[in-house]
Amino acid sequence: MTGFLTTHVLDTARGCPAEGLKIALYRVSGNLHRKIAETVTNADGRTDAPILPAEKFEIGSYELIFFAGDYLRANGLAAEEPLFLDQVPIRFGMSDAAAHYHVPLLLSPYGYSTYRGS
């Protein structure tokens, strides 16, 4: 079995999945960031496929960028500019070549949380 990475976003302000939120995935090495994937969440707040599938999986450091500001504006949740939350970066490491890593985002206009899911 080879590792892979999934993510999803829940809109905690509206109590629903965050549909249509753009996400970019970067491989991080020191100060170098290399974009390796970009996708948009579906109606369930998930990506249609793993954002990092097994055939591209490598142990290392990564960063997910959630384009929260665009989503908040599109859904009438943006108060004033500049937004308190615009792009939400989550940097994390993956060290087990056989593991399923899941990094969800719980989002509202003024806060967010994440964890290693299953």
Side-chain angles (χ1 to χ4, degrees), residues 66-87:
F66 296 88
F67 290 81
D70 295 342
Y71 170 82
L72 295 169
R73 286 181 195 96
N75 288 280
L77 298 172
E80 67 281 340
E81 296 287 341
L83 296 182
F84 181 70
L85 293 176
D86 194 359
Q87 294 182 10

Side-chain angles (χ1 to χ4, degrees), residues 7-9 18-26 35 37-42 45-47 51 63-75 86-89 105 107:
T7 186
H8 78 274
V9 185
E19 180 180 6
L21 193 143
K22 184 171 93 171
I23 305 168
L25 175 66
Y26 292 83
K35 186 192 286 187
E38 187 173 292
T39 190
V40 176
T41 56
N42 61 25
R46 299 177 183 276
T47 59
I51 193 161
E63 188 169 82
L64 284 165
I65 305 288
F66 296 88
F67 290 81
D70 295 342
Y71 170 82
L72 295 169
R73 286 181 195 96
N75 288 280
D86 194 359
Q87 294 182 10
V88 176
L105 181 72
L107 176 66

Side-chain angles (χ1 to χ4, degrees), residues 11-117:
D11 180 334
T12 58
R14 297 187 315 150
C16 63
E19 180 180 6
L21 193 143
K22 184 171 93 171
I23 305 168
L25 175 66
Y26 292 83
R27 172 81 189 227
V28 178
S29 179
N31 289 326
L32 178 66
H33 289 64
R34 180 175 49 95
K35 186 192 286 187
I36 55 177
E38 187 173 292
T39 190
V40 176
T41 56
N42 61 25
D44 196 32
R46 299 177 183 276
T47 59
D48 289 332
I51 193 161
L52 184 62
E55 61 272 10
K56 294 184 178 179
F57 185 89
E58 293 180 47
I59 289 173
S61 296
Y62 292 84
E63 188 169 82
L64 284 165
I65 305 288
F66 296 88
F67 290 81
D70 295 342
Y71 170 82
L72 295 169
R73 286 181 195 96
N75 288 280
L77 298 172
E80 67 281 340
E81 296 287 341
L83 296 182
F84 181 70
L85 293 176
D86 194 359
Q87 294 182 10
V88 176
I90 299 175
R91 188 172 296 183
F92 57 96
M94 297 190 291
S95 59
D96 183 347
H100 170 200
Y101 286 85
H102 184 68
V103 181
L105 181 72
L106 307 176
L107 176 66
S108 76
Y110 298 103
Y112 66 91
S113 65
T114 190
Y115 55 94
R116 180 173 175 190

